[in-house]
Amino acid sequence: MSKTADPYYPLDSPLSSSPSGMRRGTLKLQEKLLLSPQPRTESLPRLTSISDFLSPHHSTVHPPLEDLNALDEYIQEEPSNLVQIIPALTHFLEQYCLDKPETCGELWRGKLKPLLMELQANDQPVERPRPPSPVCERKPEKWVNVHGEEWEDDYAWLKDRENPDVLKYIEDENEYASKMLEDTKPLQKLLYKEFVSRIDESEQSATVTLQDGWTYYTRKVAGQEYRLHCRSKDGKEDVYLDENVIANSKEFEDASYFRVGFLKHSPNCKLIAYGIDSSGNERYTTYFMDMDKKQVLDDRIEGVYEDLEFACDNSVFYTVLDDFERAYELRRHKLGTDVTTDEFLYHEEDEMFFLSLTKTCNGKYILLNSSAQITSETRFISTEKPDDPPSLLFPRRENIQYTCENHGRYFYILTNEDSKNNWLFRMPIPSTPSKSPSTYEELVELRETVIEHRDFVLIEHFEVRRNHLIVFERSNCLQNVRIVDLSYDGFNTYHYISFGEMVYSLWPGTVREEERALAKTSQFDTNVLRFTYTSFIQPKQVVDYNMDDRTMTVVYEEHIGGYEQTMYTSRRLFATGVDGTAVPISIVYRRDLLGLNQTPSQPNPCLLHAYGAYGAFVNPIFSASRLSLLDRGFIYAAAHVRGGADMGNGWYEEGKLTKKPNTFLDFCSAAEYLCKEGYTTPSKLSIYGRSAGGLLIGAAINIRPDLFAAALTEVPFVDVINTMFDATIPWTAFEYEEWGNPNDREIYDVMKTYCPYTNIRGLALARNAYPHLLVVGGMNDPRVAFFEPLKFVAKMRGERRRYLSKPVRSSPLAQDDSGTDTPTGSGLRKAPTLATMAGGTPNDTLLPSHPTPRSLLLRIEDAGHGGSSGQYSFLENLAFEYAFLITSLNADTATSASIPSPIRHDFDEGVQDGTIKPKKTKKRGKEDVEEKEYRRKAKGDRGPSNIFQWVSNLF
């Protein structure tokens, strides 16, 4: 077999990247979009199967037209539910006229015409008074920081979750948000119905056949929030775990949150271990079950983190969290023994390091990774000799990372040592721990390079099979997969998998961790690579790729009701940053609704999303819910800003620590580009980000409030300086390598330029110069504390009121020479501001103002970092957020016709929007994203798992 040419090469041209625990409800606010709270298995009325739902006659969202009593009760309970019945009424009238044409005249004259005349006569806009916004008391706390500067925080008291006044303020904010969007309830109901109409409520995942002869998979049941874990043999199905039954058991029926976070199978397939989080704080209680007897064992382990692995003797290795939410200890449990006697195997004493567990592809080793943001080391445990202590493979060295796998006599190791991106080498497995080389120099002598470092290629991940090495790479924001044939000497016999699109995403296995882990080990002795492929316009496909004959078989495909792929297209654009850097932007839109294709051209409403931290990727993946925006004329854009690794590790390094402002400037440049090129305008531009991406949104609206019409941010990290000064807050020490330690004067000065909480512009708020803003937080969030979004909104309201109550000149805030308002005594230095660098103005009096107040809304939900736990409750909350965006931009509330109108094809010349065309064997329903994505690092998104970035990508 001949070597295939490497497709990567340096280019001069820049043209050459249900969610886990989704939201259930808001704190002390049990409002549901359709009905009052129901048991989780029937949180909304589900009457029949998906096939009936897709029929125009009937919907699982509402009662059938034939049941007038149920229909009347449904509408009386919530009048806005009427909007969901209109399509069924329309179909009923259509069929009635076809069946009884002689009645059409009388029906029109006697019923429909008078009704239409009455509705048209009443179709006048109604101005409803705005409810008063909540008031949060100012309780100033002053201190002098390590740099000798006086610092003041009026809302630090909101950190106390036990304070009744804090809980009352949260309740007031939640009620205010609901009242402000009360008029959008019909739109929310319509959006919700659209969401549900597209999903396959009886979806079944890809299957995996194990050594016990059973075929394993998961599936949904229409009307139920959670999944069923199943296996089949000889045509008989065995449901071995029903998450809905557990969720409604006495133990969890009153829980505000429920999630099965992990499910692991023992090597002999006789046992499973599963972890349940009932609060959203990501501390799992682990249960064990005998698969044959369907008996839950007495063993129960509390406070387990999401990593747990079985050894061959059915003992389990697991990690636990400390008081700062850090996985710090490795333990081993032998089934049938008292948990309090579990063996303590490793304690990570450095508070900047976090433990994680993985199992090698061949199942022979459990790998313990101890990592900080940019430094790691790995220990290994033989699954066949679990009594042996963990052995150190490579000791930690500052700023060096290692990711390991096992193949035969070797460990394959991916590292960034002495390289811009990373490279791959292998070394022999130490025969016994006692014979392991004791010095780093001795270890280096054993290394053999497998893939050399390349400045323009980042290796994201790698796996091994018996005869193949699989390398997932990224270059110029594009992903590729290299397949190396290990049956030949050396590593020069390889090929790349080709794909038909320019804007796409792929990852190993499937998103759901249980299926991915089973497939990885069961396929080790095969020539098959299983991966997931998707794009902005291609629903997810799980593909089995034969690495010898280079053929693809789709073993699962997401089914989207009513979706016509040819109506949509995606493309890659490049904005020019303030320093001349080319910033990639991926966009998707409906072809016939693109305003640039109209004569004259018209700007579209747009939603711009970014993340920009931890070296994470903003992947262009398909979202069925997003179609509700695209069908209303929206352009969805993802900006691949610095701080992520979409363009390699160098891209990441240019957006962290003292270079963090590059992230915000890139984002503003992307927004400016979309406006300049005619895709949208500031009056039609909305933005979205969550967690560290919420920091980006908070900074952007402070830097360029004039550039955006609406902003939505979930669980935002916005109080950067106060949080990073407070070592008692979970994750703080771990985060120093990402954001920096503000005790360092240089880091501190940079933080002061972008910290959203510190840089709120009160005069701009008083002049209605900010965009509409919706902020969402989680009361049990262990990564971004609930008080960050709470304090942020409280201060925005307080600063606005202060300016409205006093003339500018008598304000307690002092203006610098440029007109920027800065807190007196805060130590903010006069320097070129980010607003000026981003093309805006730091002078609030020069910002364009609006005649009516901007919406400022906050929802604090009784959930964790990922939101609520059920697939339907997630869609309810998403409908709330979409309704906010649509109405804030004054976009069309109704979708456009499904039939595309003629377009100018010359505008799309060169756009590649095809999909991979493998041989298809099956088509099944929607696969939700309820598990963590494979992890490139041990931690990200202010937490160890990248699933929450998937939540953003799915928006």
Side-chain angles (χ1 to χ4, degrees):
M1 185 179 297
S2 62
K3 174 180 175 180
T4 303
D6 191 327
Y8 297 121
Y9 50 92
L11 297 178
D12 295 330
S13 169
L15 298 179
S16 311
S17 123
S18 118
S20 158
M22 288 303 139
R23 293 179 293 279
R24 174 174 293 164
T26 54
L27 182 69
K28 295 189 177 182
L29 183 62
Q30 295 299 323
E31 175 196 24
K32 290 293 183 182
L33 297 183
L34 295 181
L35 297 175
S36 58
Q38 303 288 325
R40 276 186 293 269
T41 54
E42 295 292 342
S43 67
L44 299 168
R46 315 290 169 194
L47 302 177
T48 54
S49 66
I50 185 67
S51 60
D52 287 325
F53 178 81
L54 295 177
S55 167
H57 289 287
H58 179 61
S59 167
T60 56
V61 173
H62 60 75
L65 298 185
E66 293 81 5
D67 192 346
L68 292 179
N69 290 332
L71 206 59
D72 183 65
E73 181 181 352
Y74 180 65
I75 297 175
Q76 291 293 337
E77 186 171 13
E78 175 51 68
S80 60
N81 285 339
L82 177 62
V83 71
Q84 296 183 326
I85 301 173
I86 292 175
L89 287 174
T90 302
H91 179 80
F92 175 80
L93 288 173
E94 179 184 277
Q95 194 63 46
Y96 183 86
C97 292
L98 291 174
D99 293 342
K100 300 180 180 181
E102 70 279 2
T103 65
C104 291
E106 182 180 349
L107 179 64
W108 167 250
R109 291 187 300 270
K111 302 292 183 182
L112 297 182
K113 182 180 178 181
L115 176 61
L116 184 60
M117 292 174 63
E118 180 181 356
L119 294 177
Q120 289 177 340
N122 294 328
D123 188 21
Q124 301 296 328
V126 178
E127 289 292 337
R128 292 182 174 84
R130 294 170 64 99
S133 60
V135 176
C136 183
E137 183 182 357
R138 294 178 59 240
K139 299 181 180 181
E141 295 185 14
K142 297 182 179 181
W143 65 92
V144 176
N145 65 25
V146 296
H147 304 295
E149 296 181 357
E150 183 177 314
W151 204 260
E152 179 178 325
D153 189 351
D154 294 340
Y155 303 98
W157 69 276
L158 292 176
K159 295 167 63 175
D160 183 4
R161 63 183 300 134
E162 305 299 327
N163 187 330
D165 292 337
V166 173
L167 298 178
K168 180 61 169 62
Y169 177 58
I170 292 174
E171 187 174 2
D172 290 345
E173 284 287 1
N174 286 336
E175 291 178 356
Y176 176 72
S178 294
K179 289 179 180 178
M180 286 291 291
L181 290 184
E182 180 74 22
D183 289 347
T184 71
K185 276 192 173 181
L187 175 58
Q188 294 177 44
K189 304 302 175 62
L190 180 61
L191 288 165
Y192 178 84
K193 183 172 183 178
E194 293 172 13
F195 298 161
V196 176
S197 72
R198 298 190 189 107
I199 66 174
D200 184 347
E201 295 179 281
S202 301
E203 171 263 338
Q204 179 178 309
S205 71
T207 62
V208 179
T209 301
L210 300 184
Q211 62 185 13
D212 61 355
W214 287 89
T215 297
Y216 290 78
Y217 54 93
T218 63
R219 62 179 177 87
K220 299 178 183 177
V221 174
Q224 296 189 346
E225 291 277 21
Y226 306 106
R227 302 185 75 93
L228 277 62
H229 300 258
C230 312
R231 60 181 182 173
S232 64
K233 182 191 290 187
D234 301 327
K236 296 181 180 180
E237 181 180 76
D238 173 29
V239 179
Y240 58 87
L241 189 77
D242 186 339
E243 295 182 13
N244 300 284
V245 172
I246 300 174
N248 287 282
S249 65
K250 289 185 178 181
E251 185 173 1
F252 299 107
E253 62 183 355
D254 295 325
S256 61
Y257 181 93
F258 177 85
R259 178 180 176 238
V260 175
F262 60 83
L263 194 157
K264 298 294 179 72
H265 294 250
S266 64
N268 63 4
C269 307
K270 297 293 186 181
L271 300 168
I272 60 170
Y274 56 94
I276 295 178
D277 177 5
S278 59
S279 67
N281 64 2
E282 300 173 38
R283 290 177 178 265
Y284 296 95
T285 300
T286 301
Y287 301 81
F288 299 88
M289 189 179 77
D290 185 305
M291 289 285 280
D292 294 330
K293 298 179 181 179
K294 300 297 184 296
Q295 178 182 349
V296 178
L297 307 183
D298 293 334
D299 304 70
R300 180 180 298 190
I301 311 175
E302 304 284 349
V304 176
Y305 190 54
E306 61 187 9
D307 298 324
L308 178 146
E309 297 292 347
F310 276 98
C312 291
D313 65 351
N314 288 339
S315 63
V316 293
F317 293 83
Y318 63 96
T319 59
V320 294
L321 299 171
D322 63 13
D323 293 338
F324 299 96
E325 311 297 336
R326 180 179 68 99
Y328 76 111
E329 205 162 62
L330 174 68
R331 300 178 185 177
R332 181 188 179 198
H333 176 70
K334 296 180 180 180
L335 294 178
T337 65
D338 190 335
V339 173
T340 60
T341 66
D342 284 357
E343 184 179 5
F344 288 62
L345 298 174
Y346 180 76
H347 180 91
E348 178 53 68
E349 297 182 354
D350 192 328
E351 63 180 3
M352 296 181 67
F353 281 74
F354 190 100
L355 300 180
S356 61
L357 282 179
T358 58
K359 186 176 284 188
T360 57
C361 290
N362 57 14
K364 290 187 175 182
Y365 292 95
I366 294 171
L367 303 175
L368 174 66
N369 196 53
S370 183
S371 62
Q373 290 284 4
I374 57 176
T375 305
S376 70
E377 69 180 5
T378 300
R379 289 171 170 80
F380 62 95
I381 303 167
S382 170
T383 58
E384 297 174 350
K385 299 178 181 179
D387 292 330
D388 291 347
S391 299
L392 180 63
L393 183 60
F394 249 87
R396 69 186 64 174
R397 298 175 62 219
E398 188 174 356
N399 299 334
I400 305 299
Q401 296 175 312
Y402 301 101
T403 302
C404 304
E405 256 296 348
N406 169 244
H407 184 272
R409 300 182 295 106
Y410 297 93
F411 275 120
Y412 283 67
I413 301 173
L414 180 68
T415 182
N416 64 337
E417 181 181 331
D418 299 326
S419 63
K420 179 180 179 181
N421 282 309
N422 46 25
W423 57 287
L424 190 64
F425 67 88
R426 73 177 185 179
M427 59 178 288
I429 300 172
S431 56
T432 62
S434 62
K435 294 183 180 179
S436 299
S438 57
T439 67
Y440 170 77
E441 289 72 19
E442 290 176 309
L443 291 171
V444 170
E445 290 296 321
L446 298 175
R447 301 194 309 198
E448 177 186 3
T449 299
V450 176
I451 297 179
E452 294 182 348
H453 165 258
R454 293 159 291 171
D455 285 342
F456 48 90
V457 179
L458 172 68
I459 299 177
E460 296 181 13
H461 179 76
F462 74 100
E463 291 186 354
V464 291
R465 299 292 186 268
R466 177 71 64 189
N467 295 316
H468 298 89
L469 168 67
I470 303 134
V471 184
F472 291 81
E473 302 178 344
R474 184 182 294 256
S475 180
N476 288 320
C477 219
L478 292 175
Q479 293 176 274
N480 275 285
V481 183
R482 176 194 283 213
I483 307 295
V484 181
D485 194 331
L486 296 179
S487 61
Y488 290 80
D489 291 336
F491 308 101
N492 294 322
T493 303
Y494 61 87
H495 68 275
Y496 280 87
I497 304 176
S498 61
F499 303 99
E501 292 184 89
M502 289 296 293
V503 182
Y504 62 88
S505 297
L506 54 91
W507 60 90
T510 64
V511 174
R512 292 188 59 79
E513 183 185 26
E514 178 192 7
E515 297 148 18
R516 182 172 70 252
L518 293 177
K520 184 175 74 170
T521 54
S522 65
Q523 292 181 339
F524 176 79
D525 287 314
T526 73
N527 59 358
V528 174
L529 164 65
R530 175 166 292 184
F531 65 90
T532 299
Y533 178 93
T534 185
S535 73
F536 274 153
I537 62 173
Q538 171 61 54
K540 287 191 294 296
Q541 296 174 321
V542 177
V543 179
D544 279 354
Y545 177 74
N546 186 306
M547 294 179 284
D548 291 332
D549 61 25
R550 306 186 188 186
T551 58
M552 298 185 189
T553 302
V554 175
V555 296
Y556 165 91
E557 185 161 8
E558 184 179 16
H559 174 72
I560 307 298
Y563 176 59
E564 178 52 59
Q565 182 174 317
T566 58
M567 294 177 61
Y568 306 86
T569 189
S570 62
R571 61 191 309 169
R572 178 69 47 74
L573 309 172
F574 285 84
T576 301
V578 297
D579 59 356
T581 300
V583 181
I585 310 171
S586 301
I587 68 171
V588 60
Y589 52 88
R590 216 174 91 169
R591 292 175 181 270
D592 60 311
L593 298 182
L594 183 66
L596 285 172
N597 288 347
Q598 311 301 323
T599 304
S601 63
Q602 298 290 330
N604 286 72
C606 179
L607 177 60
L608 175 63
H609 162 237
Y611 186 77
Y614 302 105
F617 312 114
V618 176
N619 291 306
I621 68 176
F622 184 83
S623 167
S625 303
R626 189 189 299 139
L627 296 175
S628 290
L629 294 180
L630 303 186
D631 288 347
R632 287 171 171 83
F634 271 74
I635 295 171
Y636 178 85
H640 306 277
V641 298
R642 282 175 282 186
D646 306 75
M647 300 284 282
N649 272 338
W651 199 249
Y652 168 48
E653 297 292 336
E654 288 295 310
K656 61 183 294 191
L657 300 174
T658 59
K659 297 181 179 180
K660 190 63 203 172
N662 284 335
T663 302
F664 319 124
L665 296 173
D666 284 355
F667 186 75
C668 292
S669 296
E672 287 272 20
Y673 176 85
L674 292 173
C675 295
K676 178 182 176 181
E677 295 299 313
Y679 289 98
T680 189
T681 64
S683 65
K684 292 179 176 288
L685 179 57
S686 59
I687 55 178
Y688 166 70
R690 73 182 331 271
S691 194
L695 163 61
L696 167 57
I697 299 303
I701 62 175
N702 286 336
I703 294 169
R704 289 294 309 271
D706 58 311
L707 190 53
F708 316 107
L712 167 64
T713 177
E714 298 174 321
V715 291
F717 174 43
V718 284
D719 193 8
V720 180
I721 295 178
N722 287 325
T723 294
M724 297 307 295
F725 262 131
D726 189 351
T728 67
I729 295 177
W731 304 116
T732 297
F734 188 93
E735 300 288 352
Y736 287 154
E737 291 181 342
E738 178 69 25
W739 312 101
N741 187 336
N743 289 297
D744 181 317
R745 181 70 200 214
E746 183 181 13
I747 291 291
Y748 173 68
D749 286 339
V750 172
M751 283 183 175
K752 287 191 298 183
T753 67
Y754 69 78
C755 174
Y757 185 73
T758 304
N759 288 282
I760 291 172
R761 300 168 70 167
L763 180 56
L765 284 165
R767 298 181 68 246
N768 301 323
Y770 264 70
H772 298 285
L773 178 62
L774 171 59
V775 182
V776 178
M779 197 64 186
N780 299 318
D781 191 340
R783 301 163 189 258
V784 178
F786 75 95
F787 54 76
E788 296 232 4
L790 187 64
K791 288 175 59 181
F792 185 57
V793 171
K795 184 175 180 180
M796 293 185 82
R797 295 200 193 284
E799 291 302 298
R800 182 175 186 273
R801 288 192 174 97
R802 290 172 68 181
Y803 273 94
L804 288 174
S805 64
K806 297 180 181 181
V808 174
R809 292 185 180 278
S810 62
S811 168
L813 302 187
Q815 282 196 340
D816 65 18
D817 295 339
S818 65
T820 303
D821 298 304
T822 58
T824 303
S826 67
L828 293 177
R829 298 177 174 181
K830 297 178 182 179
T833 67
L834 293 181
T836 302
M837 297 173 65
T841 175
N843 192 327
D844 292 351
T845 61
L846 299 181
L847 291 171
S849 60
H850 300 276
T852 57
R854 306 288 87 183
S855 297
L856 175 57
L857 309 178
L858 172 68
R859 297 184 96 191
I860 299 293
E861 300 172 338
D862 195 9
H865 196 65
S868 73
S869 53
Q871 63 170 333
Y872 296 115
S873 53
F874 164 66
L875 296 177
E876 292 171 359
N877 284 276
L878 187 61
F880 183 90
E881 295 175 351
Y882 271 25
F884 164 78
L885 292 173
I886 292 168
T887 55
S888 295
L889 299 186
N890 293 316
D892 292 335
T893 55
T895 58
S896 298
S898 299
I899 302 175
S901 59
I903 61 173
R904 295 196 338 243
H905 294 287
D906 59 312
F907 185 82
D908 286 314
E909 183 177 358
V911 177
Q912 299 188 37
D913 57 356
T915 62
I916 58 176
K917 301 297 182 182
K919 178 183 177 182
K920 299 183 179 181
T921 58
K922 300 180 183 178
K923 275 195 174 183
R924 293 204 175 108
K926 178 180 183 291
E927 176 176 342
D928 55 357
V929 182
E930 292 178 350
E931 297 290 348
K932 60 185 179 180
E933 182 203 0
Y934 72 95
R935 288 172 288 178
R936 193 176 75 84
K937 300 186 180 225
K939 187 165 178 284
D941 194 45
R942 293 188 59 76
S945 173
N946 286 344
I947 175 61
F948 306 110
Q949 293 151 19
W950 275 100
V951 177
S952 298
N953 292 339
L954 275 171
F955 189 82

